[in-house]
Amino acid sequence: MSGTLEKKIPVLDLSPEIDELWDELNAAFQRVMKSGQFIMGPEVIAFENEVADYLGTKHAIGVNSGTDALVISLRALGIGPGDEVITTPFSFFATAESISNVGAKPVFVDIEEASFNIDPTLIEAAITERTKAILPVHLYGRPAEMDAIMAVANEHGLKVLEDCAQSFGARYHGQQTGTIGHAGAYSFFPSKNLGAFGDGGLIATDDDEVADMARMLRAHGSKKKYHNEVLGYNSRLDSLQAALLRVKLPHVDIRNRGRIVAAQHYETLFARTPSIVRPGATAGHVYHQYTVRLPDSDRNAIQRRLEEQGIGTMIYYPVSQNRLPVYDHQPAAITPVSDTLANQVLSLPIWAAQAVSDRERVASSLVEAVSHY
Ligand SMILES: *Cc1c(COP(=O)(O)O)cnc(C)c1O
Protein backbone atom coordinates (compact mmCIF):
# COMPACT_ATOMS: atom_id res chain seq x y z
CA MET A 1 0.00 0.00 0.00
CA SER A 2 1.34 3.46 -0.80
CA GLY A 3 2.07 5.80 2.07
CA THR A 4 -0.63 8.28 1.15
CA LEU A 5 -3.35 5.64 1.31
CA GLU A 6 -2.45 4.61 4.82
CA LYS A 7 -4.34 5.95 7.78
CA LYS A 8 -2.97 9.15 9.23
CA ILE A 9 -1.17 8.96 12.55
CA PRO A 10 -1.78 12.21 14.43
CA VAL A 11 0.67 13.47 17.02
CA LEU A 12 -2.02 12.92 19.65
CA ASP A 13 -5.34 11.06 19.59
CA LEU A 14 -7.66 11.78 22.50
CA SER A 15 -10.57 9.74 21.16
CA PRO A 16 -9.77 6.34 22.81
CA GLU A 17 -9.83 7.94 26.24
CA ILE A 18 -13.02 9.88 25.56
CA ASP A 19 -14.72 6.77 24.12
CA GLU A 20 -13.77 4.71 27.14
CA LEU A 21 -15.18 7.28 29.59
CA TRP A 22 -18.08 8.40 27.37
CA ASP A 23 -20.95 7.48 29.71
CA GLU A 24 -19.28 8.83 32.84
CA LEU A 25 -18.35 12.08 31.07
CA ASN A 26 -21.89 12.51 29.82
CA ALA A 27 -23.30 11.88 33.29
CA ALA A 28 -20.96 14.52 34.74
CA PHE A 29 -21.94 16.98 32.02
CA GLN A 30 -25.63 16.50 32.71
CA ARG A 31 -25.12 16.75 36.47
CA VAL A 32 -23.54 20.19 36.02
CA MET A 33 -26.19 21.37 33.54
CA LYS A 34 -28.93 20.44 35.98
CA SER A 35 -27.14 21.97 38.97
CA GLY A 36 -27.36 25.51 37.60
CA GLN A 37 -23.89 26.21 39.05
CA PHE A 38 -21.35 26.78 36.29
CA ILE A 39 -18.38 28.52 37.88
CA MET A 40 -16.62 27.21 41.01
CA GLY A 41 -19.09 25.53 43.39
CA PRO A 42 -19.19 21.96 44.75
CA GLU A 43 -17.67 20.30 41.67
CA VAL A 44 -14.61 22.54 41.89
CA ILE A 45 -14.27 21.99 45.64
CA ALA A 46 -14.57 18.22 45.19
CA PHE A 47 -12.03 18.25 42.37
CA GLU A 48 -9.60 20.36 44.41
CA ASN A 49 -9.87 17.93 47.32
CA GLU A 50 -9.37 14.92 45.06
CA VAL A 51 -6.32 16.47 43.38
CA ALA A 52 -4.85 17.50 46.76
CA ASP A 53 -5.22 13.87 47.88
CA TYR A 54 -3.72 12.53 44.67
CA LEU A 55 -0.73 14.89 44.73
CA GLY A 56 -0.20 14.72 48.48
CA THR A 57 -0.41 18.49 48.93
CA LYS A 58 -2.25 20.57 51.51
CA HIS A 59 -3.89 22.98 49.07
CA ALA A 60 -5.03 22.55 45.48
CA ILE A 61 -6.52 25.67 43.89
CA GLY A 62 -8.30 25.46 40.56
CA VAL A 63 -7.79 28.32 38.12
CA ASN A 64 -8.54 29.23 34.53
CA SER A 65 -5.39 27.89 32.81
CA GLY A 66 -1.84 26.75 33.35
CA THR A 67 -0.65 30.22 32.42
CA ASP A 68 -2.83 31.76 35.12
CA ALA A 69 -1.58 29.12 37.57
CA LEU A 70 1.96 30.42 36.92
CA VAL A 71 1.03 34.11 37.13
CA ILE A 72 -1.06 33.71 40.28
CA SER A 73 1.56 31.47 41.95
CA LEU A 74 4.29 33.99 41.25
CA ARG A 75 2.23 36.81 42.73
CA ALA A 76 1.18 34.69 45.70
CA LEU A 77 4.86 33.93 46.33
CA GLY A 78 5.51 37.66 46.46
CA ILE A 79 7.25 38.04 43.10
CA GLY A 80 6.74 41.39 41.38
CA PRO A 81 8.35 44.40 39.68
CA GLY A 82 12.11 44.62 40.09
CA ASP A 83 12.51 40.93 40.93
CA GLU A 84 14.42 38.40 38.89
CA VAL A 85 13.29 34.82 38.37
CA ILE A 86 15.70 32.20 37.08
CA THR A 87 14.14 29.89 34.51
CA THR A 88 14.78 27.68 31.50
CA PRO A 89 14.84 29.07 27.96
CA PHE A 90 13.64 25.72 26.59
CA SER A 91 9.91 25.75 27.30
CA PHE A 92 6.55 26.96 26.11
CA PHE A 93 6.35 30.76 26.05
CA ALA A 94 3.94 30.90 29.03
CA THR A 95 6.79 30.06 31.42
CA ALA A 96 8.79 33.23 30.74
CA GLU A 97 5.71 35.26 29.80
CA SER A 98 4.16 34.74 33.25
CA ILE A 99 7.32 36.08 34.91
CA SER A 100 7.25 39.18 32.71
CA ASN A 101 3.52 39.65 33.22
CA VAL A 102 3.94 40.01 36.99
CA GLY A 103 6.52 42.72 36.30
CA ALA A 104 9.57 40.58 37.07
CA LYS A 105 12.45 39.69 34.78
CA PRO A 106 13.10 36.16 33.54
CA VAL A 107 16.79 35.26 33.75
CA PHE A 108 17.54 32.39 31.42
CA VAL A 109 19.89 29.61 32.47
CA ASP A 110 20.88 26.91 30.00
CA ILE A 111 19.60 23.35 30.04
CA GLU A 112 21.10 19.87 30.30
CA GLU A 113 21.42 18.10 26.98
CA ALA A 114 20.22 14.75 28.33
CA SER A 115 17.14 15.93 30.23
CA PHE A 116 16.07 19.09 28.32
CA ASN A 117 15.61 20.64 31.79
CA ILE A 118 17.35 23.56 33.52
CA ASP A 119 20.96 22.76 34.42
CA PRO A 120 21.14 23.15 38.22
CA THR A 121 24.92 23.57 38.16
CA LEU A 122 24.51 26.86 36.24
CA ILE A 123 21.92 28.44 38.54
CA GLU A 124 24.22 29.82 41.22
CA ALA A 125 26.18 31.98 38.75
CA ALA A 126 22.94 33.66 37.62
CA ILE A 127 21.86 34.73 41.11
CA THR A 128 21.96 38.46 41.88
CA GLU A 129 20.62 40.47 44.81
CA ARG A 130 17.37 40.86 42.84
CA THR A 131 16.82 37.12 42.39
CA LYS A 132 13.68 36.00 44.23
CA ALA A 133 12.78 32.65 42.72
CA ILE A 134 13.65 29.73 40.48
CA LEU A 135 11.06 28.45 38.00
CA PRO A 136 12.04 24.99 36.70
CA VAL A 137 9.91 23.21 34.11
CA HIS A 138 9.48 19.43 34.10
CA LEU A 139 9.65 19.43 30.33
CA TYR A 140 8.01 16.63 28.34
CA GLY A 141 6.94 15.11 31.68
CA ARG A 142 10.48 14.43 32.88
CA PRO A 143 11.16 15.68 36.40
CA ALA A 144 13.86 18.34 36.68
CA GLU A 145 16.72 17.77 39.13
CA MET A 146 14.78 19.04 42.14
CA ASP A 147 17.29 18.03 44.86
CA ALA A 148 19.99 20.21 43.34
CA ILE A 149 17.52 23.03 42.56
CA MET A 150 16.13 23.05 46.13
CA ALA A 151 19.67 23.01 47.55
CA VAL A 152 20.64 26.21 45.67
CA ALA A 153 17.27 27.79 46.47
CA ASN A 154 17.54 27.05 50.18
CA GLU A 155 21.10 28.28 50.36
CA HIS A 156 20.10 31.63 48.82
CA GLY A 157 16.63 31.96 50.35
CA LEU A 158 14.82 31.71 46.99
CA LYS A 159 11.30 30.51 46.28
CA VAL A 160 10.80 27.63 43.85
CA LEU A 161 7.78 27.43 41.58
CA GLU A 162 7.53 24.23 39.51
CA ASP A 163 5.95 24.44 36.07
CA CYS A 164 4.12 21.10 35.95
CA ALA A 165 2.04 21.85 32.86
CA GLN A 166 3.57 18.79 31.17
CA SER A 167 4.18 16.62 34.22
CA PHE A 168 0.86 15.82 35.90
CA GLY A 169 1.47 12.52 37.69
CA ALA A 170 5.26 12.56 37.26
CA ARG A 171 7.25 11.69 40.37
CA TYR A 172 10.70 12.72 41.50
CA HIS A 173 12.16 10.19 43.97
CA GLY A 174 8.59 9.02 44.47
CA GLN A 175 7.20 12.49 45.22
CA GLN A 176 4.76 14.22 42.89
CA THR A 177 6.24 17.05 40.83
CA GLY A 178 4.71 20.33 41.95
CA THR A 179 4.88 19.38 45.65
CA ILE A 180 8.63 19.70 46.12
CA GLY A 181 9.07 23.46 45.68
CA HIS A 182 6.98 26.18 47.35
CA ALA A 183 4.24 25.85 44.74
CA GLY A 184 3.42 23.89 41.60
CA ALA A 185 1.47 25.13 38.58
CA TYR A 186 -0.47 22.64 36.44
CA SER A 187 -2.32 22.96 33.14
CA PHE A 188 -5.40 21.04 32.03
CA PHE A 189 -5.11 22.20 28.41
CA PRO A 190 -6.77 19.35 26.44
CA SER A 191 -3.50 17.84 25.19
CA LYS A 192 -1.83 17.68 28.60
CA ASN A 193 -1.57 14.39 30.52
CA LEU A 194 -4.67 15.32 32.50
CA GLY A 195 -6.62 17.30 29.93
CA ALA A 196 -9.91 19.13 30.27
CA PHE A 197 -12.42 19.96 27.52
CA GLY A 198 -11.26 23.55 27.37
CA ASP A 199 -8.86 25.61 29.45
CA GLY A 200 -8.11 24.88 33.07
CA GLY A 201 -5.25 24.96 35.56
CA LEU A 202 -4.35 24.38 39.18
CA ILE A 203 -1.94 25.54 41.87
CA ALA A 204 -0.59 23.14 44.51
CA THR A 205 1.06 24.37 47.69
CA ASP A 206 1.53 23.37 51.33
CA ASP A 207 1.85 27.01 52.38
CA ASP A 208 -1.34 28.43 53.94
CA GLU A 209 -0.48 32.05 53.15
CA VAL A 210 0.38 31.33 49.53
CA ALA A 211 -2.86 29.36 49.19
CA ASP A 212 -4.89 32.16 50.75
CA MET A 213 -3.39 34.74 48.43
CA ALA A 214 -3.84 32.51 45.37
CA ARG A 215 -7.52 31.98 46.24
CA MET A 216 -7.98 35.74 46.54
CA LEU A 217 -6.15 36.51 43.31
CA ARG A 218 -8.22 34.10 41.22
CA ALA A 219 -11.39 35.91 42.34
CA HIS A 220 -10.56 39.57 41.62
CA GLY A 221 -8.49 39.87 44.78
CA SER A 222 -11.37 39.29 47.14
CA LYS A 223 -12.08 36.82 49.93
CA LYS A 224 -15.51 38.26 50.43
CA LYS A 225 -17.48 39.30 47.35
CA TYR A 226 -17.35 43.07 46.68
CA HIS A 227 -14.69 43.56 49.38
CA ASN A 228 -11.73 43.40 47.03
CA GLU A 229 -8.40 43.67 48.84
CA VAL A 230 -5.86 43.50 46.01
CA LEU A 231 -5.87 43.67 42.21
CA GLY A 232 -6.51 40.16 41.03
CA TYR A 233 -7.91 38.29 38.05
CA ASN A 234 -11.00 36.55 36.80
CA SER A 235 -9.40 33.14 36.86
CA ARG A 236 -11.83 30.64 38.25
CA LEU A 237 -12.17 27.04 37.17
CA ASP A 238 -15.47 26.16 35.48
CA SER A 239 -17.72 23.63 37.24
CA LEU A 240 -18.03 21.73 33.99
CA GLN A 241 -14.27 21.35 33.56
CA ALA A 242 -13.94 20.28 37.21
CA ALA A 243 -16.72 17.69 36.84
CA LEU A 244 -15.17 16.25 33.66
CA LEU A 245 -11.68 16.27 35.18
CA ARG A 246 -13.04 14.35 38.18
CA VAL A 247 -13.99 11.58 35.77
CA LYS A 248 -10.50 11.51 34.26
CA LEU A 249 -8.39 11.91 37.40
CA PRO A 250 -8.77 8.31 38.68
CA HIS A 251 -7.45 7.08 35.31
CA VAL A 252 -4.44 9.38 35.04
CA ASP A 253 -1.89 6.89 36.44
CA ILE A 254 -3.06 4.16 34.06
CA ARG A 255 -2.87 6.63 31.15
CA ASN A 256 0.62 7.70 32.17
CA ARG A 257 1.60 4.04 32.46
CA GLY A 258 0.40 3.57 28.86
CA ARG A 259 2.63 6.46 27.77
CA ILE A 260 5.61 4.89 29.57
CA VAL A 261 4.99 1.57 27.80
CA ALA A 262 4.77 3.42 24.48
CA ALA A 263 8.05 5.23 25.22
CA GLN A 264 9.77 1.94 26.13
CA HIS A 265 8.61 0.53 22.81
CA TYR A 266 10.06 3.51 20.90
CA GLU A 267 13.32 3.04 22.83
CA THR A 268 13.67 -0.51 21.52
CA LEU A 269 12.60 0.47 17.98
CA PHE A 270 15.38 3.10 17.77
CA ALA A 271 18.02 1.18 19.74
CA ARG A 272 20.06 0.35 16.65
CA THR A 273 19.90 3.80 15.02
CA PRO A 274 22.49 6.02 16.75
CA SER A 275 21.57 9.06 14.62
CA ILE A 276 18.23 9.11 16.45
CA VAL A 277 19.11 10.19 19.98
CA ARG A 278 16.52 8.75 22.36
CA PRO A 279 15.32 10.40 25.56
CA GLY A 280 15.95 7.17 27.46
CA ALA A 281 14.13 5.82 30.47
CA THR A 282 14.05 7.92 33.64
CA ALA A 283 12.21 7.04 36.84
CA GLY A 284 9.06 9.09 37.27
CA HIS A 285 8.96 10.39 33.66
CA VAL A 286 5.41 10.45 32.25
CA TYR A 287 6.27 11.17 28.60
CA HIS A 288 3.91 14.02 27.88
CA GLN A 289 6.13 14.01 24.81
CA TYR A 290 8.47 11.39 23.41
CA THR A 291 11.09 13.68 21.94
CA VAL A 292 14.12 12.50 20.02
CA ARG A 293 17.11 14.52 18.82
CA LEU A 294 18.42 14.35 15.27
CA PRO A 295 21.87 15.97 15.57
CA ASP A 296 23.23 14.75 12.25
CA SER A 297 20.14 15.20 10.08
CA ASP A 298 18.03 17.89 8.44
CA ARG A 299 15.31 17.83 11.09
CA ASN A 300 12.86 20.02 9.16
CA ALA A 301 13.19 17.92 5.99
CA ILE A 302 12.53 14.80 8.05
CA GLN A 303 9.44 16.34 9.56
CA ARG A 304 8.12 17.20 6.08
CA ARG A 305 8.88 13.67 4.85
CA LEU A 306 6.91 12.13 7.74
CA GLU A 307 4.07 14.56 7.12
CA GLU A 308 3.90 13.37 3.50
CA GLN A 309 3.56 9.83 4.85
CA GLY A 310 0.65 10.87 7.07
CA ILE A 311 2.66 10.96 10.31
CA GLY A 312 2.21 13.95 12.56
CA THR A 313 5.15 15.26 14.59
CA MET A 314 5.78 18.48 16.48
CA ILE A 315 8.78 20.67 17.21
CA TYR A 316 8.72 21.59 20.88
CA TYR A 317 10.38 24.14 20.72
CA PRO A 318 11.96 25.59 17.58
CA VAL A 319 13.47 28.60 19.36
CA SER A 320 14.92 29.33 22.80
CA GLN A 321 12.70 31.79 24.67
CA ASN A 322 15.60 34.21 25.13
CA ARG A 323 15.98 34.45 21.33
CA LEU A 324 12.41 35.68 20.86
CA PRO A 325 12.06 39.37 19.98
CA VAL A 326 10.46 40.17 23.36
CA TYR A 327 13.57 38.91 25.17
CA ASP A 328 16.41 39.57 22.78
CA HIS A 329 17.44 42.58 24.82
CA GLN A 330 18.97 40.05 27.18
CA PRO A 331 22.24 39.35 25.35
CA ALA A 332 23.78 38.17 28.60
CA ALA A 333 21.80 34.95 28.38
CA ILE A 334 24.20 32.42 26.93
CA THR A 335 22.34 29.22 26.17
CA PRO A 336 24.25 27.11 23.65
CA VAL A 337 22.62 23.82 24.63
CA SER A 338 19.09 25.20 24.35
CA ASP A 339 19.93 26.92 21.05
CA THR A 340 21.36 23.70 19.62
CA LEU A 341 18.57 21.44 20.82
CA ALA A 342 15.95 23.77 19.37
CA ASN A 343 17.28 22.74 15.94
CA GLN A 344 17.38 19.03 16.71
CA VAL A 345 14.24 18.04 18.59
CA LEU A 346 11.31 16.18 17.13
CA SER A 347 8.34 15.00 19.20
CA LEU A 348 6.73 11.80 17.96
CA PRO A 349 3.12 10.62 18.20
CA ILE A 350 2.38 9.27 21.68
CA TRP A 351 -0.72 8.60 23.77
CA ALA A 352 -1.82 5.99 26.25
CA ALA A 353 -3.78 3.59 24.05
CA GLN A 354 -1.68 4.05 20.93
CA ALA A 355 -1.48 0.96 18.71
CA VAL A 356 1.81 -0.93 18.58
CA SER A 357 1.52 -0.86 14.77
CA ASP A 358 1.35 2.96 14.81
CA ARG A 359 4.68 3.14 16.59
CA GLU A 360 6.21 0.58 14.27
CA ARG A 361 5.16 2.69 11.29
CA VAL A 362 6.43 5.92 12.88
CA ALA A 363 9.74 4.24 13.69
CA SER A 364 10.32 2.67 10.30
CA SER A 365 9.50 5.96 8.56
CA LEU A 366 11.82 7.91 10.84
CA VAL A 367 14.67 5.39 10.55
CA GLU A 368 14.30 5.50 6.77
CA ALA A 369 14.11 9.32 6.74
CA VAL A 370 17.31 9.82 8.78
CA SER A 371 19.19 7.68 6.25
CA HIS A 372 18.16 10.12 3.48
CA TYR A 373 18.30 13.56 5.10
C1 LIG B 1 0.86 24.23 28.33
C2 LIG B 1 1.96 24.88 29.09
C3 LIG B 1 1.75 26.04 29.85
C4 LIG B 1 0.49 26.84 29.80
O1 LIG B 1 -0.66 26.15 30.12
P1 LIG B 1 -2.08 26.70 29.53
O2 LIG B 1 -3.07 25.88 30.30
O3 LIG B 1 -2.08 26.43 28.08
O4 LIG B 1 -2.17 28.14 29.87
C5 LIG B 1 2.80 26.50 30.62
N1 LIG B 1 4.00 25.90 30.63
C6 LIG B 1 4.25 24.80 29.90
C7 LIG B 1 5.59 24.15 29.98
C8 LIG B 1 3.24 24.26 29.08
O5 LIG B 1 3.50 23.17 28.36
Coordinates of all heavy atoms in Angstrom, one line a residue, residues 65-68 70 91-92 94-95 137 139 163 165-166 187-189 192 199-200 317, ligand 1:
S65 N -6.3 28.5 33.8 CA -5.4 27.9 32.8 C -4.1 27.7 33.5 O -3.8 28.1 34.6 CB -5.2 28.9 31.6 OG -4.5 30.0 32.1
G66 N -3.2 26.9 32.8 CA -1.8 26.8 33.4 C -1.1 28.1 33.4 O -0.3 28.3 34.3
T67 N -1.3 28.9 32.4 CA -0.6 30.2 32.4 C -1.1 31.0 33.6 O -0.2 31.6 34.3 CB -1.0 31.0 31.1 OG1 -0.7 30.2 30.0 CG2 -0.3 32.3 31.0
D68 N -2.4 31.0 33.9 CA -2.8 31.8 35.1 C -2.3 31.1 36.4 O -2.0 31.8 37.4 CB -4.4 31.8 35.2 CG -4.9 32.9 34.3 OD1 -4.2 33.5 33.5 OD2 -6.2 33.1 34.3
L70 N 0.6 29.9 36.8 CA 2.0 30.4 36.9 C 1.9 31.9 37.4 O 2.6 32.2 38.4 CB 2.7 30.4 35.6 CG 3.1 29.0 35.1 CD1 3.6 29.0 33.6 CD2 4.3 28.4 36.0
S91 N 11.2 26.0 26.8 CA 9.9 25.7 27.3 C 8.9 26.5 26.4 O 9.2 27.2 25.5 CB 9.8 26.3 28.7 OG 8.5 25.9 29.3
F92 N 7.6 26.2 26.7 CA 6.6 27.0 26.1 C 6.6 28.4 26.6 O 7.0 28.7 27.8 CB 5.2 26.3 26.5 CG 4.0 27.0 25.9 CD1 3.9 27.2 24.5 CD2 3.0 27.5 26.7 CE1 2.8 27.9 24.0 CE2 1.9 28.2 26.2 CZ 1.8 28.4 24.8
A94 N 4.7 30.5 27.8 CA 3.9 30.9 29.0 C 4.9 30.9 30.2 O 4.6 31.7 31.2 CB 2.8 30.0 29.3
T95 N 5.9 30.1 30.3 CA 6.8 30.1 31.4 C 7.4 31.4 31.6 O 7.3 32.0 32.7 CB 7.9 29.0 31.2 OG1 7.2 27.7 30.9 CG2 8.7 28.8 32.5
V137 N 11.0 23.9 34.8 CA 9.9 23.2 34.1 C 10.2 21.7 34.0 O 11.4 21.4 33.7 CB 9.8 23.8 32.7 CG1 8.7 23.1 31.9 CG2 9.6 25.3 32.7
L139 N 10.0 19.4 31.7 CA 9.6 19.4 30.3 C 9.4 18.0 29.8 O 10.2 17.1 30.1 CB 10.7 20.1 29.5 CG 10.2 20.6 28.1 CD1 9.4 21.8 28.2 CD2 11.4 20.8 27.2
D163 N 6.9 24.4 37.2 CA 6.0 24.4 36.1 C 5.7 23.0 35.7 O 6.5 22.3 35.1 CB 6.6 25.2 34.9 CG 5.6 25.3 33.7 OD1 4.7 24.4 33.6 OD2 5.8 26.2 32.8
A165 N 3.0 21.9 33.9 CA 2.0 21.8 32.9 C 2.1 20.5 32.1 O 1.1 20.0 31.6 CB 2.2 23.0 31.9
Q166 N 3.4 20.0 32.0 CA 3.6 18.8 31.2 C 3.8 17.6 32.0 O 4.1 16.5 31.5 CB 4.7 19.0 30.2 CG 4.5 20.2 29.3 CD 5.6 20.3 28.2 OE1 6.5 19.4 28.0 NE2 5.5 21.4 27.4
S187 N -1.4 22.6 34.2 CA -2.3 23.0 33.1 C -3.2 21.8 32.8 O -2.8 20.6 32.8 CB -1.5 23.3 31.9 OG -2.4 23.4 30.8
F188 N -4.5 22.1 32.5 CA -5.4 21.0 32.0 C -5.8 21.3 30.6 O -6.9 20.9 30.1 CB -6.6 20.9 32.9 CG -6.3 20.7 34.4 CD1 -6.8 21.5 35.4 CD2 -5.5 19.6 34.7 CE1 -6.5 21.3 36.7 CE2 -5.2 19.4 36.1 CZ -5.7 20.3 37.1
F189 N -4.9 22.0 29.9 CA -5.1 22.2 28.4 C -5.4 20.8 27.8 O -4.8 19.8 28.3 CB -3.8 22.8 27.8 CG -3.9 23.1 26.4 CD1 -4.5 24.3 25.9 CD2 -3.4 22.3 25.4 CE1 -4.6 24.6 24.6 CE2 -3.5 22.6 24.1 CZ -4.1 23.7 23.7
K192 N -2.7 18.0 27.5 CA -1.8 17.7 28.6 C -2.2 16.3 29.2 O -3.2 15.8 28.9 CB -1.9 18.8 29.7 CG -1.5 20.2 29.2 CD -0.1 20.3 28.7 CE 0.2 21.5 27.9 NZ 0.5 22.8 28.5
D199 N -10.0 25.2 28.6 CA -8.9 25.6 29.5 C -9.1 25.3 30.9 O -10.3 25.3 31.4 CB -8.6 27.1 29.3 CG -7.8 27.5 28.1 OD1 -6.8 26.8 27.9 OD2 -8.2 28.4 27.3
G200 N -8.0 25.1 31.6 CA -8.1 24.9 33.1 C -6.7 24.8 33.6 O -5.8 24.5 32.9
Y317 N 10.8 22.9 21.2 CA 10.4 24.1 20.7 C 11.4 24.6 19.7 O 12.6 24.4 19.9 CB 10.2 25.1 21.9 CG 9.1 24.7 22.8 CD1 9.4 23.9 23.9 CD2 7.8 25.0 22.5 CE1 8.3 23.4 24.7 CE2 6.7 24.6 23.3 CZ 7.0 23.8 24.4 OH 6.0 23.3 25.2
Ligands
LIG1 C1 0.9 24.2 28.3 C2 2.0 24.9 29.1 C3 1.8 26.0 29.9 C4 0.5 26.8 29.8 O1 -0.7 26.1 30.1 P1 -2.1 26.7 29.5 O2 -3.1 25.9 30.3 O3 -2.1 26.4 28.1 O4 -2.2 28.1 29.9 C5 2.8 26.5 30.6 N1 4.0 25.9 30.6 C6 4.2 24.8 29.9 C7 5.6 24.2 30.0 C8 3.2 24.3 29.1 O5 3.5 23.2 28.4

